[in-house]
Amino acid sequence: MDQEHNLKKTRRLNLILSTLRDINKLIVTRKSKHELIKGICNILVEKREYFNAWIGLLDDSQELIMTAQAGLGEKFNLIRSRIEEKEFTRCIRQTIESPEVFHVVDPVVECSDCILAENYFGRGAMAVRLAHNDNNYGFLVLSMSKELSLDETEKTIVKEIADDVAFGLYRFELEKSQKEAQTDTLTNLINRRGLETKMELERIRAKQNSSP
């Protein structure tokens, strides 16, 4: 029994490490926000064995600007249409207002306002905000086993994944700011804002290159 438990524990740890490595690789290699969040969703379903994963990116006025999903297929169009109308479900409302991981043990009972709830019979769910510094980018929603939705370690993993994704989105914004930075017309040098952005990007790249 102990051997079986240890094998399961080792397998889970290896999956966690593999997932985090793949996500960090995506952050470095993907050239657009959509490529990044779509890749993240695919990894989470394939590597973490979630039933489905979906991400919504919002602007400052909480307008939906981009989505990606894995494991839901055409069913996702239903929830996306509602979010486009700012008809946020309870889990999304609470998620975008809090840095904590929001978890649901029985979505069928607890999430009567979600049109996807009937597909979550016998499952649990987690949702978490995507935020870096003072920037709120949107949210990540995951469907998983009930057992996993109650696991505090899994909550920590989901929070770490969300933080990594938000960091990747922040990196895209920095790169965009660098491209948009104006040079001084008299000296032809990058202005202060552009220089600060460039230094921040270099710091991020150095940190990513030093990661395993």
Side-chain angles (χ1 to χ4, degrees), residues 1-14:
M1 184 64 70
D2 287 342
Q3 184 177 5
E4 182 180 350
H5 174 75
N6 289 335
L7 285 172
K8 287 180 67 175
K9 187 176 180 180
T10 300
R11 179 176 178 273
R12 183 184 182 188
L13 179 60
N14 287 336

Side-chain angles (χ1 to χ4, degrees), residues 88-182:
F88 297 144
T89 60
R90 181 175 68 101
C91 71
I92 294 176
R93 286 196 305 272
Q94 294 196 22
T95 295
I96 60 181
E97 294 172 359
S98 170
E100 303 301 321
V101 176
F102 180 80
H103 78 282
V104 179
V105 179
D106 191 346
V108 176
V109 174
E110 300 178 56
C111 303
S112 58
D113 62 340
C114 179
I115 55 178
L116 296 177
E118 63 183 20
N119 300 300
Y120 283 44
F121 181 78
R123 303 178 182 179
M126 287 188 189
V128 61
R129 185 171 68 183
L130 303 175
H132 181 77
N133 294 339
D134 295 325
N135 304 301
N136 295 325
Y137 297 108
F139 51 86
L140 164 66
V141 182
L142 303 164
S143 172
M144 61 190 67
S145 68
K146 282 189 176 184
E147 179 184 3
L148 209 54
S149 70
L150 291 168
D151 191 310
E152 290 299 319
T153 300
E154 193 66 24
K155 272 190 180 183
T156 302
I157 295 166
V158 168
K159 184 66 170 66
E160 183 172 351
I161 290 170
D163 288 345
D164 285 349
V165 175
F167 182 78
L169 295 169
Y170 172 69
R171 180 172 177 264
F172 278 120
E173 289 196 344
L174 279 181
E175 290 177 342
K176 182 180 179 182
S177 295
Q178 184 184 30
K179 290 178 182 178
E180 292 176 349
Q182 299 296 315

Side-chain angles (χ1 to χ4, degrees), residues 37-47 53 69-70:
I37 63 174
K38 176 58 178 173
I40 296 294
C41 290
N42 289 339
I43 287 173
L44 293 177
V45 171
E46 294 169 6
K47 290 289 184 74
Q69 63 87 20

